[in-house]
Amino acid sequence: MSTDRTWAYERYEPERERLVEALCTLGNGRFATRGSAPECPAGTVHYPGTYLAGCYDRRASVVAGERVENEDLVNLPDWTRLRYRLRPDEGPPGDWLTPDSAELRHYGVRLDLRAGTLTRSLYFQDGGGRRLRVVHTRIVHMGDALLAGQRTLFRAYGWSGAVEVESVLDGAVVNAGVERYRHLEQRHLTDHRSGFEPGGVAWLTCRTTDPGSRLALAVRTVTRPERPAREDATATGTVQTYRLPLAPRRPASVVKTLALHTAADRPPGDPRTAACADAARAPAFPRLLATHRAAWQRLWEQGELDVPGDAGRILRLHLFHLLQTLSPHTAELDVGVPARGLHGEAYRGHVFWDELFVLPYLELHFPEVARSLLRYRHRRLPAAREAALRAGGRGAMFPWQSASSGREETQELHLNPRSGRWLPDHSHLQRHVGSAIAYNVWRYAQATGDRGFLHAEGAEILLEIARYWSGAATFDATLGRYRIRGVVGPDEYHDAYPDAAHPGVDDNAYTNATAAWVLARGLDLLGELSEARRAELTEELSLDDGELQRWEDVSRRLYLPFHHGVISQFEGYGELAELDWEGYRDRYGDIRRLDRILEAEGDTVNRYQASKQADTLMLGHLFRAAELRALFARLGYALDDATWSATVAYHLRRTSHGSTLSSLVHGWVLAREQGDAAWEYVQEALLGDVADLQGGTTGEGIHLGAMAGTVDLVQRGITGLDAGPEGLRVAPVALSRLPRFSFTLCCGGHRGVRLRVLPGRLGVHVPASPKGPLAVVLPGERRFTVAPGEERWFRL
Ligand code: BGC
């Protein structure tokens, strides 16, 4: 049974196995291994996978007669494989045992969220009454990010003899985790070499095909009782075979310890030599486990979140996966936020705008990690500048999908699995990703007080994105306003006007409003720089007064479309046909991917007022009501509460929630607007991955944006929290389903500040330190301070 500290499955259900593997993935920010059964190679049921953050490979494929290139997060050799079978004293050996064996009697998988361990227990009974219990315990070391370990214990009941064990390092792996990508080139590893070193160490080296990154895996296998291995190197890996005596009360064990190195590791050196040395000297499993647990304990202390009940259990799992994908080790790497975690191959491990939902948590708990994710973008500024130039623009045009180099990695064709047709993919026109990056830079600095970053790399990113928007806006003399044409909004369904020859829609309200916001912040930022830095930047970026004048002008005169008293998703949205929502729901049940349904019917979603996910309403996620009003006012539009409420209701009725981000954003916006009415969406956001609501996609990788977003929904959304170096503002909304919760955060120079929210009350505890008191602002501008070492309670 799952508790708030564990996540458990008590039966073996082959059709659920991929989901279990994804949700039981273990990682340390540098690499992750899916929670697969060690007994089974990849097949229709099982899909072992190990992914190293930032390790991509580019391959060309031919689909629908066209050559396409894709860069994929590479599935690395499987270090977990372990085969075993009974070798009774008498009679022939049994069959290799797996969860799929007829002899399986009990099965259980348990993820310990506190300790970061995955335990899988199997209990077999063969036709001769011989019973065998097998327990695997796996870790991916959170302290030493080069290491992972797996211990397998065997216990015999009612027989004696031996268990024959094969410990395998399997390099014959491909990227085959996503059915939709099966027509694409799946082979990313080449030049396999393998061998053995003394002390039970097996090694395997290989490289990706392009750019040819060298990888080395070394696995030390140690058995109890100690037995010599037969060692066989295969073309793509190694097999070590042991015969371990087994009898009642005389158990046996096998421990595999992995060291994973690449040529990019520091200090530089031969990855094979380094991996073998690390595997050989790694401590025994109990010690490895103890240091791993200690590292997790430190993480939980920094990231504590206590929400009672089922919601709390799921939130803790979400936080666990966030911390495994982006841990303090991430700060050492040049990687972005992979939308599907390091948990599977969906979206090829690419980086989208999802960091918008992920960074807020990190800023308040692990600011160095948040900064390193922004640096990933900064290092790709030259690629974004080049992309803008190629598109005839200026500044930085960041790609919708980013991977290693920062070039656009969005696929050119995508498959509609319903119709079997390959279709042009125009989602790269989601230029709003640039605003998300600029917004992250700004908010990071507000939350952490890191003006150093904002004025250095942050300014370069933000100003170049502002410059891009200024150039992308064209003046329409009839309207007397600037317009941004030919884009795709967060909705994604609408990639063109019906029957148009060109892709893209005009004046997506979210895109235009956030572009105006970026331009305004660009000007603010220039205003707050020291004279020397401002001079340096204007020189470096060749900014002149004429250009800044244009920023000012565009930031005040971008066009925002309205119809029937609501904000239109884009120009002309209100003229599109209304969809028969009930009819489609009756006919298809699940209409989350309405775009695919309509295309398969020979129709197109472009004809309808139907959105995949929150688009215009994203404005209510990013900006508080007053901020949004001010942004609209700067643009010369009055946005009153009635218009916003009507806009929320209008778009909500026309959204199919085909992305896990959708219910999250709607839950957030509704919670701030209507309190309890939001619960349906909050609940859906919580269940998105654990109940696999997007129709089987979680097995291909978790949805990290939605997972982190739900944690942030509690932290900032429901709490109405605004934390920064000056202290914190809190304005909780009452949600009867989440009446009480607590969490810690970094704020006002203090680490470990604890907030407790109870019905009508708020507790703030500031840990003892020589620092000054923490300022707290409550609704109605009521101002207080809490001294270090003190806990104060406030009425809300
Ligand atoms: C959503 C995007 C998101 C991407 C990666 C898509 O389904 O529409 O908004 O960035 O998934 O999570």
Side-chain angles (χ1 to χ4, degrees):
M1 210 188 74
S2 300
T3 66
D4 63 342
R5 308 284 186 225
T6 61
W7 191 260
Y9 297 93
E10 276 159 11
R11 272 191 316 279
Y12 177 58
E13 294 177 22
E15 58 289 352
R16 187 177 67 177
E17 195 58 10
R18 294 223 173 179
L19 174 69
V20 173
E21 290 173 353
L23 291 178
C24 293
T25 295
L26 293 178
N28 58 20
R30 178 172 177 266
F31 74 101
T33 294
R34 283 166 64 85
S36 54
E39 294 83 358
C40 307
T44 48
V45 174
H46 305 278
Y47 194 73
T50 290
Y51 307 95
L52 180 68
C55 180
Y56 296 97
D57 184 55
R58 183 179 302 285
R59 302 273 353 225
S61 316
V62 175
V63 287
E66 284 192 44
R67 180 183 185 278
V68 292
E69 273 188 22
N70 285 298
E71 197 176 67
D72 285 77
L73 186 68
V74 179
N75 184 14
L76 300 189
D78 181 11
W79 64 275
T80 64
R81 281 296 301 285
L82 197 85
R83 299 216 296 169
Y84 48 86
R85 59 180 172 177
L86 301 190
R87 282 279 188 173
D89 284 338
E90 278 150 36
D95 293 331
W96 296 106
L97 293 169
T98 78
D100 300 291
S101 302
E103 290 86 354
L104 185 76
R105 294 290 174 274
H106 297 290
Y107 182 81
V109 177
R110 200 167 65 93
L111 191 58
D112 183 329
L113 305 177
R114 280 260 126 199
T117 54
L118 175 65
T119 309
R120 191 179 239 100
S121 318
L122 303 94
Y123 187 70
F124 301 97
Q125 179 167 12
D126 71 7
R130 283 173 285 254
R131 285 164 292 141
L132 178 73
R133 174 174 295 286
V134 183
V135 180
H136 307 286
T137 305
R138 184 183 298 167
I139 59 173
V140 172
H141 206 282
M142 191 48 97
D144 185 339
L146 301 163
L147 299 181
Q150 177 176 285
R151 180 185 61 198
T152 305
L153 290 174
F154 297 98
R155 283 180 198 280
Y157 300 94
W159 64 285
S160 59
V163 60
E164 183 180 335
V165 178
E166 285 184 359
S167 171
V168 181
L169 181 52
D170 180 10
V173 297
V174 295
N175 273 50
V178 179
E179 174 63 13
R180 293 183 301 291
Y181 305 163
R182 69 185 177 284
H183 303 288
L184 304 170
E185 186 52 68
Q186 297 181 324
R187 237 161 272 278
H188 295 285
L189 294 176
T190 182
D191 265 358
H192 295 75
R193 296 210 163 75
S194 59
F196 298 92
E197 293 278 317
V201 174
W203 57 264
L204 168 61
T205 60
C206 52
R207 64 175 177 82
T208 58
T209 68
D210 178 12
S213 314
R214 283 191 302 139
L215 301 157
L217 291 89
V219 172
R220 184 185 73 195
T221 304
V222 173
T223 67
R224 288 271 177 279
E226 264 180 61
R227 283 291 180 273
R230 201 186 78 213
E231 298 185 324
D232 298 293
T234 64
T236 51
T238 60
V239 183
Q240 291 158 294
T241 310
Y242 304 83
R243 204 181 241 228
L244 306 177
L246 204 60
R249 285 184 294 282
R250 287 224 322 272
S253 70
V254 179
V255 174
K256 298 181 79 168
T257 307
L258 165 79
L260 169 60
H261 275 259
T262 77
D265 291 331
R266 284 165 291 177
D270 170 42
R272 187 190 76 81
T273 312
C276 287
D278 272 1
R281 68 172 163 243
F285 196 74
R287 178 86 198 120
L288 208 58
L289 195 58
T291 50
H292 170 69
R293 280 169 188 269
W296 263 107
Q297 192 179 335
R298 286 193 296 276
L299 275 192
W300 283 122
E301 278 161 15
Q302 261 179 279
E304 194 57 64
L305 172 76
D306 201 359
V307 179
D310 265 359
R313 217 166 52 80
I314 297 173
L315 285 165
R316 191 170 284 272
L317 180 77
H318 287 182
L319 189 46
F320 179 73
H321 285 301
L322 171 60
L323 297 176
Q324 297 198 105
T325 311
L326 302 164
S327 79
H329 297 293
T330 309
E332 306 290 312
L333 307 172
D334 176 28
V335 299
V337 174
R340 305 300 287 272
L342 297 169
H343 296 58
E345 292 158 19
Y347 294 145
R348 307 187 169 82
H350 291 175
V351 177
F352 298 61
W353 70 325
D354 302 56
E355 62 212 53
L356 196 53
F357 303 92
V358 174
L359 258 63
Y361 176 82
L362 296 174
E363 285 155 8
L364 295 180
H365 299 268
F366 301 93
E368 329 64 45
V369 179
R371 188 178 51 216
S372 83
L373 295 167
L374 294 173
R375 288 208 163 119
Y376 163 84
R377 295 298 194 175
H378 183 256
R379 290 189 198 98
R380 284 150 188 82
L381 195 50
R385 285 190 179 119
E386 222 175 281
L389 274 181
R390 265 201 314 275
R394 297 186 68 200
M397 183 173 92
F398 279 92
W400 171 239
Q401 293 188 30
S402 180
S404 59
S405 67
R407 69 174 237 189
E408 180 59 78
E409 300 293 353
T410 304
Q411 57 194 344
E412 291 145 50
L413 295 174
H414 68 246
L415 177 71
N416 178 358
R418 262 186 191 274
S419 66
R421 276 190 284 272
W422 286 91
L423 306 159
D425 192 318
H426 301 304
S427 57
H428 67 276
L429 292 174
Q430 288 184 77
R431 304 287 179 232
H432 64 84
V433 63
S435 295
I437 295 167
Y439 183 91
N440 285 334
V441 165
W442 188 262
R443 199 205 33 228
Y444 162 79
Q446 303 304 312
T448 61
D450 186 353
R451 298 324 266 185
F453 176 83
L454 179 66
H455 294 174
E457 298 105 306
E460 290 175 357
I461 301 175
L462 198 145
L463 296 175
E464 285 288 53
I465 295 170
R467 169 177 268 172
Y468 169 73
W469 283 131
S470 160
T474 52
F475 191 69
D476 181 328
T478 325
L479 281 176
R481 283 188 169 270
Y482 290 92
R483 311 184 62 180
I484 298 176
R485 295 171 174 255
V487 300
V488 170
D491 153 41
E492 287 201 337
Y493 274 176
H494 294 91
D495 68 350
Y497 287 102
D499 307 319
H502 301 291
V505 295
D506 299 336
D507 300 309
N508 171 257
Y510 173 79
T511 304
N512 287 13
T514 52
W517 182 90
V518 174
L519 286 160
R521 290 300 79 74
L523 293 166
D524 289 351
L525 176 55
L526 282 166
E528 74 168 57
L529 293 176
S530 69
E531 224 166 275
R533 179 62 181 144
R534 186 183 155 108
E536 191 178 57
L537 266 177
T538 42
E539 160 95 25
E540 179 192 320
L541 305 179
S542 315
L543 281 170
D544 57 34
D545 286 350
E547 182 167 1
L548 297 184
Q549 191 46 54
R550 182 175 160 97
W551 290 17
E552 177 75 35
D553 199 34
V554 178
S555 77
R556 293 185 180 279
R557 286 210 287 166
L558 261 165
Y559 172 58
L560 296 181
F562 287 79
H563 72 275
H564 304 329
V566 302
I567 309 167
S568 301
Q569 190 169 300
F570 52 82
E571 177 67 359
Y573 186 80
E575 285 141 45
L576 299 179
E578 288 284 9
L579 185 91
D580 173 13
W581 289 89
E582 282 319 303
Y584 271 87
R585 282 204 178 97
D586 286 351
R587 214 165 328 144
Y588 290 96
D590 183 350
I591 58 164
R592 285 189 175 85
R593 291 312 302 261
L594 193 57
D595 56 333
R596 292 180 175 164
I597 292 176
L598 289 165
E599 194 277 331
E601 286 182 345
D603 200 346
T604 165
V605 73
N606 278 330
R607 294 207 308 118
Y608 300 98
Q609 294 187 45
S611 303
K612 177 182 178 191
Q613 66 196 82
D615 186 306
T616 310
L617 302 195
M618 269 301 296
L619 293 171
H621 182 261
L622 295 193
F623 304 111
R624 287 169 201 288
E627 286 171 326
L628 195 56
R629 265 198 307 276
L631 178 59
F632 273 55
R634 183 185 170 97
L635 285 163
Y637 296 100
L639 179 67
D640 54 27
D641 290 350
T643 307
W644 177 249
S645 296
T647 301
V648 171
Y650 187 91
H651 291 294
L652 190 52
R653 272 203 307 279
R654 291 166 176 81
T655 303
S656 75
H657 307 297
S659 157
T660 49
L661 296 174
S662 193
S663 42
L664 166 70
V665 174
H666 284 106
W668 181 298
V669 170
L670 287 181
R672 305 250 16 122
E673 270 247 314
Q674 303 167 11
D676 271 342
W679 188 252
E680 183 191 332
Y681 296 95
V682 174
Q683 175 84 347
E684 167 137 349
L686 287 171
L687 293 178
D689 272 333
V690 299
D692 204 2
L693 294 184
Q694 294 290 335
T697 60
T698 300
E700 302 167 348
I702 56 158
H703 296 84
L704 191 64
M707 281 195 171
T710 52
V711 175
D712 191 38
L713 174 69
V714 174
Q715 174 182 268
R716 291 189 315 138
I718 297 172
T719 316
L721 176 78
D722 215 340
E726 299 78 35
L728 47 89
R729 270 176 189 275
V730 187
V733 290
L735 273 196
S736 58
R737 310 296 280 271
L738 276 187
R740 57 190 74 230
F741 53 88
S742 69
F743 56 87
T744 52
L745 74 158
C746 307
C747 171
H750 297 273
R751 283 191 178 244
V753 173
R754 175 176 288 277
L755 251 62
R756 278 182 231 264
V757 178
L758 301 182
R761 297 175 70 209
L762 170 79
V764 179
H765 173 254
V766 179
S769 81
K771 301 205 175 90
L774 178 73
V776 178
V777 184
L778 299 179
E781 289 299 303
R782 288 180 294 145
R783 292 171 183 276
F784 304 91
T785 54
V786 184
E790 191 189 14
E791 172 159 41
R792 284 191 72 178
W793 283 91
F794 305 104
R795 295 228 156 267
L796 290 167

